[in-house]
Amino acid sequence: MMNLSTMIAYGYRHCTPPIKQLLNYTTFLHLHLHHHHHHHHLQGRPLSFNSLNLPNLNLLLTGNCLFFRMQRFWIGNGINKNKQMVEHLQRYGVISSMKVAEVMETIDRALFVPDGASAYADSPMAIGYNATISAPHMHATCLQLLEQNLQPGMHALDVGSGTGYLTACFAIMVGPQGRAVGVEHIPELVASSIKNIEKSAAAPLLKEGSLSVHAGDGRQGWPECAPYDAIHVGAAAPEIPQALLDQLKPGGRMVIPVGNMFQDLKVVDKNMDGSISIRSETSVRYVPLTSRDAQLRGY
Ligand code: SAH
């Protein structure tokens, strides 16, 4: 992280932006460098300045400087803020897959966040009932980890579907011949997620029935549409629920945060012989996968 402080000091000295712009800029950079740090660390590569794919520092010195571009991102220019959010995730290396960029452009995040919330900011947001919608970079990360298991015709399960955002993305990816199922244990969230999806590009899939969201305890999975090529769990489990392992197809992949205070995003692959391989992708912070009562009590 030495490089980061050097760079910000450098940018500050040479560009002397108003302090508010600088703060926005550094917050954004911190979020993304943090993410990159994990990413590169896990791949066993040193965190080098070039590997971060940051914009050329010379840009800071020109009229069309990075700060103005960042400001447009944060305040928005009213044309297509969702697309800008995706482009920024691409520029900072969070999204490398074209398919994932496409689906995140197709499903407008603003339709899934509470009214008035800053839909395109890269942070989780409260959605009521002690739940949150995950940050865009976490949605992107999970979509990329599951991409090979979200091909047209495949079956996907989204446990703790919350706002329905990721379930809608899954449905677009597996298409009308596939199956995307959300399970959420707060009935009010199920109802509002269905309203959100109805406003989105995934509405026809909901109507045709290749996309559905159900009220239930997601720790039991959703046996009716099993086995699944892809299972995503949007809440942290103390351990991997057996029912979810059982409902994973051989060749299937589950992405699930595991832990209590400290959680790892686990990538669970079921091999063709039925054996299970597990690796940790990165450390994360999710709300717990728990009972409805515990959640409504505030855990
Ligand atoms: N992917 C969702 C994440 C929502 S937060 C989104 O980005 O919108 C996690 C969700 O898991 C919450 O909505 C919470 O209500 C739900 N949840 C927690 N435990 C659950 C359980 N046992 N069964 C089903 N849903 C659960």
Side-chain angles (χ1 to χ4, degrees):
M1 285 311 203
M2 281 297 283
N3 285 332
L4 172 61
S5 30
T6 321
M7 208 212 82
I8 285 168
Y10 180 84
Y12 181 65
R13 274 205 310 274
H14 288 85
C15 203
T16 57
I19 189 68
K20 189 163 158 271
Q21 289 180 22
L22 180 74
L23 285 177
N24 281 342
Y25 170 68
T26 52
T27 313
F28 184 84
L29 216 54
H30 264 297
L31 276 167
H32 287 277
L33 288 180
H34 191 65
H35 178 88
H36 271 287
H37 181 67
H38 283 298
H39 193 66
H40 286 266
H41 182 72
L42 280 158
Q43 292 183 2
R45 267 184 266 148
L47 182 78
S48 81
F49 193 75
N50 283 338
S51 73
L52 293 175
N53 211 2
L54 287 170
N56 187 331
L57 277 182
N58 287 333
L59 282 174
L60 295 172
L61 309 174
T62 69
N64 180 26
C65 97
L66 178 64
F67 292 102
F68 292 116
R69 288 194 280 130
M70 295 309 296
Q71 187 190 34
R72 278 210 299 274
F73 172 65
W74 283 95
I75 295 169
N77 63 9
I79 297 172
N80 194 340
K81 295 181 236 173
N82 191 65
K83 192 169 187 333
Q84 285 183 2
M85 176 193 80
V86 173
E87 282 168 1
H88 278 265
L89 291 170
Q90 287 179 295
R91 186 167 311 147
Y92 285 85
V94 178
I95 299 179
S96 54
S97 150
M98 276 311 292
K99 194 92 208 118
V100 167
E102 255 173 53
V103 71
M104 288 183 71
E105 278 180 28
T106 305
I107 300 295
D108 184 357
R109 190 176 169 83
L111 301 173
F112 293 81
V113 306
D115 267 358
S118 41
Y120 307 107
D122 196 14
S123 69
M125 264 176 276
I127 56 171
Y129 312 95
N130 295 318
T132 56
I133 179 170
S134 300
H137 74 264
M138 280 316 304
H139 283 151
T141 299
C142 292
L143 285 167
Q144 285 194 165
L145 288 170
L146 290 169
E147 182 177 2
Q148 299 312 313
N149 297 74
L150 292 169
Q151 292 174 48
M154 289 185 165
H155 284 208
L157 174 66
D158 186 19
V159 172
S161 47
T163 60
Y165 173 84
L166 217 46
T167 324
C169 291
F170 291 168
I172 297 281
M173 290 177 82
V174 300
Q177 310 304 325
R179 198 74 177 77
V181 179
V183 182
E184 165 58 53
H185 68 170
I186 307 288
E188 291 89 343
L189 287 177
V190 174
S192 58
S193 70
I194 289 172
K195 290 213 178 73
N196 298 340
I197 293 166
E198 281 169 346
K199 288 182 264 171
S200 80
L205 300 167
L206 184 71
K207 213 168 166 213
E208 290 163 19
S210 67
L211 163 55
S212 58
V213 185
H214 309 271
D217 187 342
R219 293 172 291 189
Q220 303 306 317
W222 194 257
E224 279 90 320
C225 304
Y228 297 96
D229 301 276
I231 298 181
H232 169 264
V233 182
E239 55 195 35
I240 302 171
Q242 185 61 43
L244 298 184
L245 285 172
D246 294 343
Q247 290 172 34
L248 198 59
K249 195 182 277 184
R253 171 174 282 192
M254 168 158 49
V255 171
I256 177 171
V258 179
N260 297 299
M261 277 274 276
F262 300 97
Q263 307 157 7
D264 277 332
L265 189 67
K266 302 275 188 193
V267 177
V268 181
D269 287 310
K270 187 178 269 191
N271 306 310
M272 295 315 286
D273 65 2
S275 63
I276 299 285
S277 311
I278 305 181
R279 69 178 172 86
S280 293
E281 173 71 14
T282 181
S283 30
V284 289
R285 198 80 202 262
Y286 280 72
V287 302
L289 184 73
T290 183
S291 71
R292 183 168 46 212
D293 283 352
Q295 184 173 327
L296 294 176
R297 270 201 310 270
Y299 309 110

